[in-house]
Amino acid sequence: MSSLPILVLNSGSSSIKFSVYEAGDGERTKLFEGAVDGIGTDLGKLWIKDATGKKLVDETPAVPTRAVAFKMVADALHSGDFPIPAAIGHRTVCGGPTITENQRITPELIDEIESYSALAPLHTPIAVFIMREALKLFPGVPNFAVLDTYFHRTLPEVAKQMPIPAEYVAMGVRRYGYHGISYESIIHQLEPNVPEKLIVAHLGNGASISAIRNGKCLDTSMALTPTSGIISGSRTGDIDPGIVIFILKKIAETTPNALEAADKLETVVSKKSGLLGVSELSNDMRDLRDAINAGNAKARLAVDKFTWTIARWIGSYVAELNGLDMLVFTGGIGENDIAARAEICAGLGALGIVVDPTRNNVRGEAVISADNSPVKVRVIPPAEDLIIVNHVVRLLG
Ligand code: ADP
């Protein structure tokens, strides 16, 4: 295959991130990356920088809507200053129960993914909007959906199945698992020496953890939605369903319309809880560390809750894997929060996890376990865009 420019799109609630790779036979070279930030505001930002970090575009336009934001991306890529993409890969959080394979995007596929929006309500509506815009603004260019759920397709039935009545299972309610592209990228970076028994903790604004045997996902903390699993920036993680019912009934006292009440409940559990809810300060770990240094007890409790939950999850995954060869930290917190890694691992010596404090005093790629630690502990930044490019190249044939 001759070299082709591949565009990777990753859209969030207030930004569209993108990168372009040159992909040839086994060769992957990042050409540039960029983003439109501040969607829905007059204080937007469009930037593009090359692989060395040099800014090629740096503008501060108003970005009233997501459509305007994506048009800015398309216009920049058609300006003549950059190669026009030969194919586009879309990070796609959830394909629902029927779309389990990465594949070429057609209008019918978008409709099918959209029909399961209720399963990932914060992500799917944005993803399908961008897919439709991309088909319009890049006519003739093949688009591919690369799923975060794809890595978790190997989950055993006992992990997938939810203990609820069959009628809801038939509607697609089960464990899907998320952050799958990040997990794939960790496996990719470990190849060809992927340990048999591996735990990867992806700790970012959203946080999840997976037990992986011989490179295949055995269990993962997120279930139907990215709100589940371990506590994260503004999401509860797993909590007693009775708490959700209690909050819903409180909301219903002033919001009798059931759908409106459900929307308010969703805001509570996914945008106002987690580190933000407990600290009453911030969902951002850097703010919480500053507050802890200033003696803020609620910030301390929020971070303790976070590290305590993760340590418990690691313990249960060691049981599921019947041992452990390697623990990997990734994501913004996993890569950068030295104290979080130390706090999570502090009580895990009995599981063979011993972190060396000097080696742990690092941000980014490193082995941080002590020489006498039976379990190797590593920090590996994810390379999600590269994995999306690899899937696109494979699907292009
Ligand atoms: P997302 O899930 O949005 O991709 P990231 O993986 O970028 O998020 O992670 C964001 C989290 O990483 C935030 O909580 C942020 O505070 C944290 N983080 C980033 N840098 C540091 C740092 N130097 N120390 C502690 N936490 C950090």
Side-chain angles (χ1 to χ4, degrees):
M1 178 179 111
S2 58
S3 276
L4 296 173
I6 311 283
L7 168 64
V8 175
L9 291 172
N10 186 351
S11 309
S13 57
S14 65
S15 71
I16 299 173
K17 294 183 194 154
F18 58 96
S19 61
V20 173
Y21 281 70
E22 180 95 333
D25 286 325
E27 291 282 318
R28 306 282 182 266
T29 311
K30 189 196 231 177
L31 299 180
F32 55 90
E33 64 179 329
V36 182
D37 298 315
I39 296 174
T41 72
D42 290 337
L43 302 166
K45 197 164 165 58
L46 166 67
W47 59 268
I48 301 178
K49 58 185 181 189
D50 69 14
T52 68
K54 189 173 137 217
K55 283 251 164 96
L56 306 173
V57 175
D58 192 9
E59 295 169 9
T60 51
V63 192
T65 63
R66 186 165 292 113
V68 169
F70 190 66
K71 179 87 169 40
M72 284 175 190
V73 177
D75 286 349
L77 295 179
H78 286 115
S79 65
D81 296 338
F82 302 103
I84 302 214
I88 303 176
H90 294 249
R91 180 177 175 198
T92 309
V93 166
C94 183
T98 50
I99 313 292
T100 53
E101 296 289 327
N102 300 326
Q103 57 193 280
R104 184 154 179 181
I105 294 173
T106 60
E108 295 73 31
L109 185 89
I110 301 176
D111 291 345
E112 180 72 8
I113 292 174
E114 189 173 37
S115 71
Y116 289 101
S117 286
L119 303 185
L122 303 180
H123 298 85
T124 298
I126 297 173
V128 296
F129 178 84
I130 296 293
M131 287 174 187
R132 290 195 176 108
E133 291 298 296
L135 291 185
K136 259 192 277 170
L137 298 184
F138 291 89
V141 176
N143 283 254
F144 297 91
V146 179
L147 301 162
D148 264 312
T149 46
Y150 175 75
F151 178 69
H152 303 296
R153 70 198 182 288
T154 55
L155 282 172
E157 205 51 41
V158 70
K160 273 192 210 163
Q161 173 76 29
M162 289 293 139
I164 52 170
E167 61 185 292
Y168 300 105
V169 175
M171 293 173 196
V173 177
R174 65 166 172 82
R175 183 181 308 277
Y176 288 93
Y178 296 97
H179 291 140
I181 300 169
S182 167
Y183 291 121
E184 271 188 75
S185 86
I186 301 301
I187 303 290
H188 181 72
Q189 292 177 74
L190 290 172
E191 278 167 348
N193 300 311
V194 182
E196 183 196 342
K197 298 172 181 180
L198 171 69
I199 294 177
V200 181
H202 178 110
L203 311 179
N205 266 322
S208 73
I209 183 163
S210 288
I212 298 163
R213 176 174 285 137
N214 293 322
K216 294 200 170 119
C217 190
L218 183 69
D219 200 357
T220 190
S221 58
M222 285 178 175
L224 178 70
T225 70
T227 308
S228 54
I230 53 186
I231 167 178
S232 55
S234 60
R235 308 175 193 158
T236 55
D238 287 1
I239 52 171
D240 174 358
I243 298 171
V244 179
I245 295 163
F246 176 89
I247 297 173
L248 181 60
K249 284 185 173 167
K250 279 284 151 204
I251 293 171
E253 286 173 9
T254 52
T255 312
N257 180 289
L259 286 178
E260 273 175 35
D263 284 344
K264 286 189 178 173
L265 177 65
E266 184 167 38
T267 302
V268 172
V269 297
S270 58
K271 295 194 175 149
K272 293 188 171 175
S273 295
L275 294 173
L276 172 65
V278 179
S279 69
E280 295 185 274
L281 179 72
S282 174
N283 64 332
D284 191 297
M285 192 56 110
R286 282 165 294 199
D287 297 340
L288 297 179
R289 289 292 174 197
D290 289 345
I292 289 170
N293 289 337
N296 183 316
K298 284 183 182 164
R300 181 70 267 172
L301 180 61
V303 174
D304 285 348
K305 179 99 194 142
F306 179 74
T307 54
W308 172 79
T309 313
I310 295 163
R312 291 166 79 213
W313 227 291
I314 290 172
S316 72
Y317 281 174
V318 171
E320 255 189 278
L321 287 162
N322 194 16
L324 185 64
D325 300 315
M326 187 185 287
L327 169 65
V328 174
F329 287 102
T330 191
I333 297 171
E335 287 163 49
N336 297 301
D337 194 327
I338 296 159
R341 294 193 302 253
E343 288 158 12
I344 291 165
C345 296
L348 300 181
L351 303 182
I353 296 169
V354 185
V355 164
D356 178 297
T358 309
R359 288 185 186 162
N360 187 39
N361 196 13
V362 70
R363 298 204 157 92
E365 168 94 57
V367 174
I368 60 168
S369 41
D371 286 338
N372 65 350
S373 176
V375 173
K376 201 168 214 183
V377 185
R378 294 185 57 166
V379 180
I380 305 180
E384 292 163 296
D385 286 3
L386 186 65
I387 294 299
I388 294 175
V389 170
N390 285 347
H391 280 295
V392 168
V393 169
R394 178 176 61 81
L395 292 164
L396 275 171

